[in-house]
Amino acid sequence: MKLTLKVWRQQNNASKGALESYQVEANEHMSFLEMLDVLNQSLVEEKKVPVAFEHDCREGICGSCNMVINGRPHGPNQGTTTCQLHMRYFKDGDTIVVEPWRAKAFPVIKDLVVDRSSLDRIIQSGGYISVNTGQAQDANAIAIEKDRAAHAFDAAACIGCGACVAACPNGSAMLFTAAKVVHLGTMPQGEVEESTRVQAMVNQMDEEGFGMCSNTGACEADCPKEISLTNIAEMNRAYLAASLGSQKKS
Amino acid sequence: MSWFSNFLTSSIGRKLIMSLTGLFLISFLIIHLIGNLQLFYDDGGQAFNIYAAFMTSNPLIKFVSIGLYFFILLHTVQGLILWSKNKAAKGSKYAVSNTKTTSFASRNMALLGTFVLAFLFIHMGDFWFKMKFGGSDALNMVTYPGHETAVKDLYEKVAYSFSNPLLVLAYLVGLLALAFHLMHGFQSAFQSLGINHKKYTPLIQMIGLAFSIIVPLAYAIIPIFFFFNR
Ligand code: HEM
Ligand code: SF4
Ligand code: FES
């Protein structure tokens, strides 16, 4: 299949980027990233600078293959990362526009690669459990209802890719942050610190310059792990309880 | 008080303010509509005029309406702050925009709200201001049997205003904007409060949709009725 790609090229954060057109010969068995590999191979052979894009696992679990394809983070398919998106979903002769994540808190490093360390700093602010949770066998000693474990696991499926931020017209990181708050706060080991965790993580999220949630649902629609909006309501609840209900005056 | 101001200026605190003021304004829409339905009494405006006089003189109502003005202002100012902060947080736009996964209303709440605000200015300038501050040059005084004190004839003013097709059109545009604002806003307010429940959220969404169609439509009948009946 013959494709026209319009790819965002930007040398570094200080420079102004622009879309550039390329012709690529791909086949439908390739993943989107393999198609980009083909493009880069030809660019290298022409002694041109290849397109910078992030990738690692190529099996939908690391959250690094981030790009906006025809206006949709990770492309048009539901619950799919770019590395798991195959060229059979495109037609011969298609024009495909590829852009980096856009958000103030995700500055472009080069081409399609953005700096997502703002998400790391949200995790560092409280996305962990610091109480002693014992040894491996102790996990089995705490009985956890199946539904509760499943609820935590659904939230834990978040791979931290930032597609939610990229999809959100407000550049909000509420879905990501909520997934972490719910994942940790739902389990008995993490419940202990929920109040301090949710306050710290929301504060950090605000400080990083992410936007506020308008409940548009754009994040949920483009999340490759189909994290639900209900997590945001749950985080709002936890935050309201922590801010208004706790004894702490901060 | 620093914890409190931190809370109110946090992303979730700001949304809490939007949600609570929005829900208050929704409750006002119901009360205001019920009162206005008295315009349809076939009594030359007696019931409506006496009701309007009561609403502008009763001390409790006066107190609540100060709250109402404050909440409209708070909702508007907070809404515009959210809009500008969110625009800044997004930074640049995509070359290909995606409108498939979100509703028109949810993406344009500030624009729709601004239409509602413009409508409110026209509406209050025409009726509320004249009722409250206008002298006998603005509104005639009328007396009714069984009601000693003379009251302002707001009914006559309403009927006169709605003979103007441009004003009727402005009302319809304003109410259409309100309908879309509520179509997203009603259910969104509950999500902001943290109320999202498998059993009750579908019900809230259904009531929200019905509310955002029925209430603006009921309001819209008033100018249309007067336009065609006078
Ligand atoms: C009778 C009039 C109004 C009613 C009943 C109303 C109701 C609501 C409700 C229920 C919400 C949802 C709150 C949430 O998501 O938590 C909302 C959101 C909003 N309203 Fe209004 N509103 C009114 C007038 C206005 C006006 C005059 C403005 C002025 C600009 C405005 C601007 C906004 C904005 C920007 C939002 C979205 C906030 C966000 O989620 O980012 N509204 N409104
Ligand atoms: S919530 Fe979904 S879209 Fe957001 S970071 Fe996690 S996996 Fe990616
Ligand atoms: S490369 Fe790891 S999720 Fe796509």
Side-chain angles (χ1 to χ4, degrees):
Chain A
M1 58 201 299
K2 277 193 165 51
L3 300 165
T4 305
L5 285 186
K6 289 189 172 165
V7 185
W8 185 263
R9 302 304 306 263
Q10 182 172 343
Q11 206 156 42
N12 54 46
N13 187 249
S15 66
K16 237 176 86 116
L19 287 172
E20 264 178 50
S21 290
Y22 303 97
Q23 303 297 324
V24 188
E25 179 78 47
N27 75 53
E28 51 273 4
H29 306 298
M30 290 176 177
S31 74
F32 202 86
L33 297 188
E34 285 162 346
M35 184 275 295
L36 288 179
D37 291 338
V38 170
L39 168 67
N40 276 349
Q41 183 63 37
S42 68
L43 286 175
V44 168
E45 280 163 12
E46 293 167 32
K47 301 221 181 317
K48 287 185 185 151
V49 183
V51 177
F53 65 91
E54 222 187 320
H55 60 101
D56 186 9
C57 71
R58 298 207 177 197
E59 57 178 16
I61 55 169
C62 75
S64 61
C65 52
N66 301 321
M67 54 195 80
V68 172
I69 301 164
N70 287 339
R72 302 284 301 273
H74 293 299
N77 290 8
Q78 183 135 13
T80 313
T81 53
T82 303
C83 58
Q84 300 281 287
L85 172 66
H86 287 84
M87 296 315 294
R88 58 178 170 271
Y89 297 105
F90 296 90
K91 289 193 303 287
D92 185 42
D94 272 0
T95 298
I96 307 172
V97 181
V98 191
E99 301 172 75
W101 277 183
R102 296 234 182 263
K104 191 77 181 300
F106 286 167
V108 172
I109 296 175
K110 187 179 166 70
D111 299 340
L112 303 173
V113 182
V114 301
D115 181 357
R116 287 177 298 129
S117 53
S118 44
L119 294 186
D120 298 339
R121 286 188 293 273
I122 294 177
I123 296 291
Q124 282 158 11
S125 71
Y128 47 78
I129 293 172
S130 55
V131 298
N132 188 352
T133 57
Q135 298 300 314
Q137 72 270 20
D138 296 316
N140 295 321
I142 308 168
I144 299 168
E145 205 189 355
K146 177 77 178 80
D147 284 352
R148 193 165 161 184
H151 185 59
F153 190 78
D154 282 347
C158 166
I159 53 176
C161 62
C164 42
V165 180
C168 179
N170 304 340
S172 168
M174 289 283 277
L175 194 65
F176 165 80
T177 311
K180 305 305 168 196
V181 164
V182 171
H183 158 208
L184 296 170
T186 303
M187 302 307 272
Q189 297 92 334
E191 207 176 9
V192 189
E193 295 168 289
E194 169 153 277
S195 169
T196 43
R197 174 185 307 117
V198 66
Q199 279 193 309
M201 292 182 80
V202 169
N203 287 347
Q204 190 63 36
M205 178 183 84
D206 292 348
E207 223 159 89
E208 296 292 343
F210 289 105
M212 283 160 273
C213 179
S214 290
N215 306 323
T216 66
C219 53
E220 183 186 56
D222 279 335
C223 170
K225 297 299 152 185
E226 303 182 296
I227 303 291
S228 158
L229 275 188
T230 56
N231 288 292
I232 296 182
E234 233 176 288
M235 174 167 77
N236 287 0
R237 241 166 25 231
Y239 183 79
L240 294 177
S243 299
L244 299 175
S246 78
Q247 298 275 358
K248 226 173 63 195
K249 282 187 144 185
S250 64
Chain B
M1 284 307 274
S2 82
W3 72 268
F4 194 60
S5 59
N6 281 347
F7 166 65
L8 287 185
T9 53
S10 72
S11 53
I12 297 175
R14 285 187 193 278
K15 281 308 306 260
L16 180 76
I17 294 175
M18 277 321 271
S19 157
L20 293 179
T21 52
L23 288 173
F24 179 85
L25 294 178
I26 283 174
S27 71
F28 160 76
L29 287 177
I30 304 172
I31 310 286
H32 192 52
L33 180 64
I34 294 173
N36 286 355
L37 289 179
Q38 296 176 76
L39 283 164
F40 293 121
Y41 274 132
D42 195 14
D43 61 357
Q46 176 174 352
F48 180 74
N49 281 339
I50 292 174
Y51 160 77
F54 169 78
M55 292 304 273
T56 39
S57 59
N58 183 291
L60 181 69
I61 307 277
K62 273 186 170 166
F63 178 74
V64 176
S65 39
I66 291 171
L68 174 66
Y69 308 143
F70 176 70
F71 286 143
I72 291 179
L73 202 70
L74 185 59
H75 186 84
T76 303
V77 171
Q78 189 71 262
L80 295 177
I81 292 175
L82 286 179
W83 172 77
S84 83
K85 279 183 179 287
N86 286 342
K87 219 166 112 78
K90 188 73 217 178
S92 46
K93 282 206 152 88
Y94 292 112
V96 182
S97 63
N98 162 34
T99 51
K100 282 197 207 89
T101 54
T102 52
S103 68
F104 164 81
S106 73
R107 276 178 275 122
N108 294 288
M109 287 300 275
L111 182 71
L112 292 166
T114 306
F115 268 86
V116 174
L117 190 69
F119 162 75
L120 279 177
F121 275 120
I122 298 174
H123 175 60
M124 290 178 77
D126 206 19
F127 299 144
W128 173 85
F129 186 81
K130 296 213 164 94
M131 183 70 192
K132 272 219 127 86
F133 305 110
S136 53
D137 51 325
L139 299 173
N140 296 322
M141 301 301 284
V142 279
T143 48
Y144 296 108
H147 194 271
E148 314 80 58
T149 44
V151 294
K152 291 177 176 172
D153 196 356
L154 185 61
Y155 179 87
E156 185 52 40
K157 170 70 186 137
V158 170
Y160 172 74
S161 288
F162 290 151
S163 62
N164 177 356
L166 280 179
L167 192 75
V168 172
L169 190 70
Y171 269 63
L172 296 184
V173 171
L175 288 166
L176 189 68
L178 178 66
F180 277 104
H181 197 76
L182 291 172
M183 246 175 239
H184 178 67
F186 193 105
Q187 50 87 32
S188 172
F190 289 88
Q191 167 83 1
S192 299
L193 289 174
I195 301 169
N196 190 326
H197 194 281
K198 279 207 172 71
K199 287 180 194 155
Y200 310 117
T201 296
L203 190 68
I204 291 172
Q205 287 173 338
M206 236 162 63
I207 294 172
L209 184 65
F211 186 94
S212 50
I213 295 170
I214 293 169
V215 170
L217 200 63
Y219 275 110
I221 291 173
I222 299 171
I224 294 174
F225 173 83
F226 279 96
F227 184 72
F228 285 110
N229 278 282
R230 292 280 291 213

